[in-house]
Amino acid sequence: MSPRKIIIDTDPGIDDILALLLALSAKPEEVEILLISLTFGNIEVKSCLRNVVSMFHILEREFQWRREQGRPEGYGTLRASPPVVAVGAEDPLEDQKMLADYFHGTDGLGGIHESHPHLTPKEAWEHLFDPAVDPTGIKPVPTGDSAHQSFIPSNRPAHEEILRVLRENDPDTVTLVAVGPLTNLALASAADPETFLRVKEVVVMGGAVNEPGNVTPAAEFNAYADAVAAARVYALTSPSPRSTLPPCTSLPAYPATLSKQLTLRIFPLDITLKHGVTQGQFRRMISPLLESGSPLAEWVSAFMAHTFRTLERLHPGHVGDVAELSLHDPVCVWYAMTADHAGWKPTPTSPEDIRIETTGQWTRGLCVVDRRSRHPIEAEEESSSDHGLWLSTKAGNRVWRMDSSEVEDTFGDTLLDRIFM
C-alpha cells in the first residue's frame, strides 16, 4: 500500500509540535509529508518558523544520540523524504489578530529559547524563506556546522506551495491537515479554486458544537482567529458556495459554478477533548529518557513543564499527575495517518450544514447549526420562512463532523510511544 500523502498547515505551538513529531515519526510506508505550511495563530508566524527549525535541529541531535546508544533512529518518514517548509499568513483576512501566547508562551514553546538556549539552533535560515533575497523557489539547506538536511525551505508563500503540491499530485491523493487558523487555505482556494479542490479531503482542528469554546464562551481558538477564512473554506463544501460565503473585502468570491464540492472533515473540541495526555503519563515515559540523555526528551520536557503548570493554573483541582493536556492537533494528524480504521466515527447526521459566524459581537467563530425540526425544501432563493437558506437542499454547507475514535482512552500513550521509541 502506498503511503498517505499529507500537507500539514500549522502554527507551532505546543500541541502542533507534538502533532508534527507524531507525523515525522511514522514509518515511510505509512505517510509521506509533502509540505509543512506555517501560519500565524498561537504565535506570530516568524516564531512558528523558529520553532519548526528548532524541532528539526533537536531531531538531528536525537538521531546522533540514538546511534551512539545503539538505538534505532526511527522517524523513517522524515529520513525517506524531508518535507518542504513554507511560511504563510502573518495576519487574518479581515479580523483583528489574536494570538494564543497566553497559553503557549510568547515564543510558542513556553519560553524555551530563553530558558534552554543550548537547545535552540543559532541559525533559523530565515533568508532562505524570503522571496526578496532569492526568488528561485525551494532548495536544500546549505551544509555547515549548524545546518542539517531534515527540511527543504521554500521562499514562496505557503498558499502557493499548497497549490503547487496539489497540481503536482494526482487528484484525490493528498490530504490537507489544518491545525491552525485557516488563512493559508482561504488564500489558496481564492487564488485557484479548482486546483484547491484536487485535495482528497481537508482535515480541520477547529470549532466547538456542543462544547463551550476555549477562547470565548462560543468559539474555539482556530475558528475565532480567522473566522472569515474558516467560513470561506467551509463554503466550498456547499453545492452553492455563494449561499454561505461570508463578506470579505480582501478576497474575491468563488466562481458561480465549481467542478466539485470540498470534502471537509472537522475535529471540534467535542472530539479532541476526549484525547489527552496526563502529566503522570508523560512523566513515566520521559524520566528514564532524561536520565539517559535524550536531547528530544529534554526539549519536549522543557515546554511540557510550562504546559502542565499553565493547565494547573487555569484548571484548579487538576494538579500533579492528573493534569491533562488535550491533544487537539495530534488527533487530527493521527486520523490522517489511520483514516481507514473502522474506529473513526462521524456524527450520525454528517454531513451537516455547519457555518462559522463572522460578524457577531460576542459570537465570532461560533459554529452555527440549525437545530430546528423542519422539512427541507427545494429552494434556491431565500424566503420569509427560511432566511439564510438553511432548509434548502440546494444550498448550505456539507461538513463531516468527527464524533469519536477507538483511541480515546489510549491516545496519550500511543503518541508518546511513537515520538520517543
Side-chain angles (χ1 to χ4, degrees):
M1 184 177 67
S2 300
R4 294 179 175 87
K5 298 180 179 182
I6 65 173
I7 297 169
I8 303 177
D9 190 76
T10 178
D11 56 337
I14 288 161
D15 58 328
D16 303 75
I17 289 290
L18 296 177
L20 289 170
L21 289 171
L22 174 63
L24 294 167
S25 68
K27 298 175 182 177
E29 60 268 24
E30 290 180 313
V31 66
E32 180 182 3
I33 305 168
L34 303 175
L35 171 66
I36 297 172
S37 54
L38 303 178
T39 177
F40 83 95
N42 291 320
I43 47 174
E44 300 286 359
V45 72
K46 287 187 176 181
S47 293
C48 293
L49 175 60
R50 186 185 192 189
N51 292 343
V52 166
V53 170
S54 293
M55 176 189 70
F56 286 119
H57 169 78
I58 288 296
L59 284 174
E60 288 295 326
R61 292 178 56 180
E62 175 75 4
F63 298 152
Q64 180 180 349
W65 175 80
R66 290 185 181 188
R67 290 192 297 269
E68 293 170 351
Q69 294 285 312
R71 301 170 182 245
E73 283 189 14
Y75 286 78
T77 288
L78 174 59
R79 285 318 202 190
S81 54
V84 173
V85 175
V87 178
E90 297 181 5
D91 300 288
L93 296 180
E94 305 280 326
D95 300 314
Q96 180 180 0
K97 181 159 63 176
M98 175 182 177
L99 304 176
D101 50 6
Y102 60 90
F103 181 85
H104 294 267
T106 55
D107 67 355
L109 294 178
I112 193 172
H113 300 300
E114 291 188 4
S115 64
H116 295 68
H118 62 289
L119 299 178
T120 299
K122 297 178 181 178
E123 173 68 85
W125 303 293
E126 289 186 16
H127 63 285
L128 296 179
F129 298 87
D130 186 352
V133 175
D134 179 3
T136 57
I138 57 176
K139 65 199 84 62
V141 177
T143 58
D145 291 340
S146 63
H148 47 72
Q149 300 295 316
S150 289
F151 67 93
I152 303 170
S154 171
N155 52 30
R156 287 191 286 255
H159 74 276
E160 293 184 7
E161 283 295 339
I162 290 172
L163 293 172
R164 176 192 63 79
V165 169
L166 294 175
R167 287 190 195 102
E168 293 179 358
N169 288 271
D170 291 337
D172 300 317
T173 61
V174 178
T175 296
L176 204 171
V177 185
V179 294
L182 298 185
T183 316
N184 287 335
L185 280 67
L187 292 168
S189 60
D192 191 340
E194 289 295 347
T195 295
F196 187 78
L197 289 173
R198 290 169 65 92
V199 72
K200 180 179 180 179
E201 64 179 353
V202 173
V203 177
V204 170
M205 190 284 119
V209 178
N210 296 315
E211 288 285 336
N214 61 2
V215 68
T216 73
E220 176 275 332
F221 175 80
N222 287 338
Y224 182 91
D226 197 340
V228 171
R232 286 185 63 95
V233 174
Y234 279 43
L236 287 171
T237 70
S238 174
S240 173
R242 294 191 180 196
S243 68
T244 65
L245 200 65
C248 181
T249 60
S250 58
L251 295 178
Y254 297 128
T257 59
L258 292 167
S259 63
K260 61 181 289 191
Q261 295 166 232
L262 176 69
T263 300
L264 179 69
R265 198 173 298 271
I266 66 168
F267 285 71
L269 295 181
D270 307 61
I271 181 172
T272 61
L273 287 171
K274 301 174 186 177
H275 298 76
V277 61
T278 67
Q279 187 161 215
Q281 284 176 286
F282 183 76
R283 178 181 52 78
R284 286 189 291 274
M285 169 61 76
I286 212 74
S287 294
L289 293 170
L290 286 173
E291 292 174 2
S292 299
S294 162
L296 181 61
E298 183 183 3
W299 189 64
V300 175
S301 180
F303 65 72
M304 288 293 281
H306 161 87
T307 303
F308 287 120
R309 286 195 302 269
T310 303
L311 288 168
E312 290 176 340
R313 186 178 71 250
L314 294 174
H315 303 285
H318 294 270
V319 298
D321 280 358
V322 299
E324 185 174 34
L325 173 67
S326 295
L327 298 171
H328 305 292
D329 297 345
V331 73
C332 295
V333 167
W334 186 242
Y335 166 80
M337 296 168 62
T338 63
D340 294 337
H341 290 191
W344 294 109
K345 302 292 185 183
T347 59
T349 51
S350 288
E352 300 171 294
D353 186 1
I354 301 175
R355 310 185 193 182
I356 301 293
E357 173 60 53
T358 61
T359 59
Q361 179 181 3
W362 306 117
T363 56
R364 166 181 156 188
L366 170 72
C367 286
V368 183
V369 178
D370 189 353
R371 304 182 192 274
R372 299 172 295 177
S373 178
R374 296 172 62 183
H375 294 294
I377 56 178
E378 296 290 324
E380 294 186 14
E381 301 291 337
E382 285 190 0
S383 69
S384 58
S385 63
D386 185 27
H387 179 67
L389 290 171
W390 285 92
L391 302 177
S392 171
T393 60
K394 300 180 179 180
N397 295 333
R398 305 288 189 269
V399 177
W400 292 88
R401 174 161 64 97
M402 300 307 290
D403 186 53
S404 61
S405 81
E406 62 186 6
V407 295
E408 291 173 6
D409 297 327
T410 61
F411 186 55
D413 287 328
T414 298
L415 174 80
L416 296 175
D417 285 343
R418 285 272 182 153
I419 291 175
F420 291 109
M421 302 304 290

